[in-house]
Amino acid sequence: MSNSLIDKKENKFIKKSNVIVRAVTNECAGIMTQRLFNFAVMNTKNNIQNIDHIGFWLKDFCIYYNIAEKQLYDKVIHKKQDMTVIVKELENLTSLKFFVFIEKENKYGFVNAFLSGFNVDGYIKLKINRDLVTKYFVDLKKDYTNIYLPYTKDVTSKYSMRLYEYLRSYLYMNAKTKGTPTYVHEWRFEQIAKILNLSLNSSYFKIITKLKTRILEPVKKDLEKTDIIFTYELIKIGRKYSRIILNTHLDLEKFNAQNPELEKIPIKKENKEYANKSKLMANNFEKQKNKIIIEKPILSDKQLLNILNNIDAD
C-alpha cells in the first residue's frame, strides 16, 4: 500500500476544465458516481497519448473515501436487473455524458469521458475517451478548476457535489491577491434546473419549501465542509418565486490549509473574521446585491430542445 496513489500528496488535487465543470449533463450523477469519476481523474496519467485504459484498485478508492469495500458488493436492482453496487456505479459512470463542442464533428453534442468499465478481482479498469480526457483533464494550461478532493469527502448530496464544483470554478485565486474572491450568481429557475438536471416541472420548483429543505439547505450544510462559504436567496417575480441568488465566498483559511507548500494568501483582519462565519452578514449581502454579476444563460429551453431533437434525428 505504500506505493499507492492515495499516499502521494500531489494526488489530493485534480484539475478539471471549466468547460466540463459547467457543462450540461445527461443526468445528475449520484454522489458515489461523482466520487468514482474524480478518483479516476486523480489516477489518470499525465501522458495518455498511447493508452486506451486507466485503472485503480477498488480498495484504494474505499480507503480514500472511508467506505466499507464490502458495501460495494451488495446486491441491488438497477434497470430491472440484479447486480452489485459497484457494477451499477460503473454503468452510471460510463453513461455520464457532457454537452460540449465536438471538434471532429464540428458541432455540439453529448460525449462521455469513460466508455466502459470493469471490476476485475478488485481492480477497476476504465476505457477512456482519450481525446476528451486529454483536452479537459490532462492538457490544461488555463481556464480550469483545481479541486482539493479531501474537502469533498464528507459531502453527502449529489447536488452538493455538483454545485460545489460549479460554484468553485468561478472563485479564482491568485496567490498574490489580497482580496477575498467572491462571486454572485443570479439564476432563473430554468438555469439551476439545467445545472442539477432537474425538470422545471418537478415539485422542487412548484413547492418552494421542498427546494429549500431537500436541496438548498443540505447543499449549504455540505459546503461548510469545503473551502466555499455559501448563502442563497430566493426571489419572487410577481407572486411566484422564479429566481435564485447564490452568493459564494472563498474561505481563505481553508484555502491556505490545503497544502503546506502552497503560497499563503494574506488574510486581512476583517476578511479572517468574515471567513470564519458560516453565513454572510445580512448588511454585507444587501450591499453585494447591488453589484450582482449576472451570469450568461447556459442554454435556453428552446435551444436545448432543438439540440436534443437533432441528436435523435441522427
Side-chain angles (χ1 to χ4, degrees):
M1 188 66 66
S2 60
N3 294 326
S4 171
L5 286 170
I6 63 173
D7 294 329
K8 297 181 181 179
K9 288 184 179 180
E10 62 269 23
N11 288 296
K12 291 180 180 179
F13 294 90
I14 62 170
K15 292 180 179 180
K16 289 185 178 182
S17 166
N18 287 335
V19 172
I20 284 290
V21 172
R22 300 170 189 168
V24 172
T25 57
N26 65 324
E27 61 181 290
C28 187
I31 186 69
M32 187 70 74
T33 307
Q34 292 186 65
R35 286 174 175 172
L36 278 168
F37 190 101
N38 286 342
F39 200 77
V41 171
M42 187 174 75
N43 283 273
T44 300
K45 309 293 184 183
N46 290 329
N47 183 0
I48 59 171
Q49 296 305 312
N50 298 313
I51 63 173
D52 294 316
H53 291 79
I54 62 169
F56 55 86
W57 289 101
L58 191 58
K59 63 181 178 181
D60 286 347
F61 169 78
C62 292
I63 291 171
Y64 193 81
Y65 284 104
N66 194 27
I67 299 168
E69 188 174 350
K70 62 180 181 180
Q71 293 180 356
L72 297 182
Y73 290 94
D74 290 341
K75 291 291 184 70
V76 292
I77 302 296
H78 179 62
K79 296 180 180 178
K80 298 182 179 180
Q81 295 183 18
D82 187 18
M83 61 182 71
T84 61
V85 172
I86 186 59
V87 172
K88 180 199 78 170
E89 292 299 337
L90 289 175
E91 283 200 7
N92 291 338
L93 178 65
T94 54
S95 65
L96 180 63
K97 297 179 184 294
F98 302 87
F99 189 77
V100 297
F101 185 73
I102 308 170
E103 292 183 357
K104 289 182 178 180
E105 300 178 19
N106 196 32
K107 68 176 185 180
Y108 282 89
F110 282 100
V111 293
N112 45 349
F114 304 109
L115 306 176
S116 61
F118 306 94
N119 175 22
V120 183
D121 297 328
Y123 186 79
I124 303 301
K125 189 174 183 181
L126 297 167
K127 184 176 182 180
I128 62 172
N129 181 332
R130 193 164 55 197
D131 290 342
L132 185 142
V133 171
T134 300
K135 183 176 181 179
Y136 294 120
F137 301 104
V138 177
D139 190 17
L140 296 172
K141 306 298 181 185
K142 60 181 181 179
D143 197 26
Y144 62 82
T145 297
N146 203 21
I147 299 169
Y148 185 64
L149 288 183
Y151 284 156
T152 70
K153 287 184 178 182
D154 296 322
V155 169
T156 59
S157 162
K158 66 178 182 179
Y159 301 121
S160 300
M161 187 76 85
R162 175 76 175 110
L163 278 178
Y164 170 70
E165 294 188 1
Y166 192 100
L167 297 174
R168 185 66 176 80
S169 73
Y170 286 93
L171 292 174
Y172 305 111
M173 188 68 250
N174 185 314
K176 296 182 180 180
T177 299
K178 294 184 179 180
T180 304
T182 62
Y183 203 95
V184 182
H185 305 258
E186 182 177 355
W187 292 338
R188 302 185 309 277
F189 278 178
E190 291 92 333
Q191 290 172 272
I192 193 169
K194 288 190 180 78
I195 292 167
L196 298 181
N197 210 277
L198 292 168
S199 168
L200 194 59
N201 294 320
S202 70
S203 58
Y204 291 116
F205 300 106
K206 293 181 178 180
I207 307 172
I208 208 66
T209 54
K210 190 172 181 180
L211 177 65
K212 292 175 66 175
T213 58
R214 300 281 183 88
I215 295 181
L216 296 174
E217 285 300 318
V219 166
K220 184 178 177 181
K221 186 175 180 180
D222 269 341
L223 294 194
E224 290 176 1
K225 306 165 189 174
T226 72
D227 53 356
I228 287 182
I229 297 172
F230 165 83
T231 60
Y232 68 89
E233 182 178 352
L234 294 163
I235 306 297
K236 273 185 177 179
I237 304 296
R239 306 175 77 178
K240 293 176 57 179
Y241 287 100
S242 62
R243 289 180 179 269
I244 184 171
I245 295 174
L246 306 180
N247 192 310
T248 56
H249 174 96
L250 186 63
D251 187 324
L252 292 186
E253 288 196 339
K254 286 188 176 180
F255 178 86
N256 284 340
Q258 289 179 13
N259 192 315
E261 281 81 41
L262 285 179
E263 182 177 353
K264 300 303 180 185
I265 309 303
I267 302 177
K268 295 180 181 179
K269 182 178 179 181
E270 61 270 25
N271 284 342
K272 184 175 181 179
E273 294 174 355
Y274 193 55
N276 285 336
K277 295 179 181 180
S278 62
K279 62 181 180 179
L280 306 178
M281 297 299 290
N283 59 338
N284 288 338
F285 187 68
E286 287 300 319
K287 291 178 183 178
Q288 291 172 0
K289 279 172 63 179
N290 296 327
K291 300 179 181 180
I292 286 175
I293 303 170
I294 299 179
E295 186 183 346
K296 294 180 181 179
I298 300 172
L299 287 172
S300 70
D301 290 333
K302 185 176 180 180
Q303 287 174 317
L304 187 59
L305 183 60
N306 287 337
I307 290 165
L308 294 176
N309 286 339
N310 289 335
I311 291 173
D312 292 338
D314 292 341

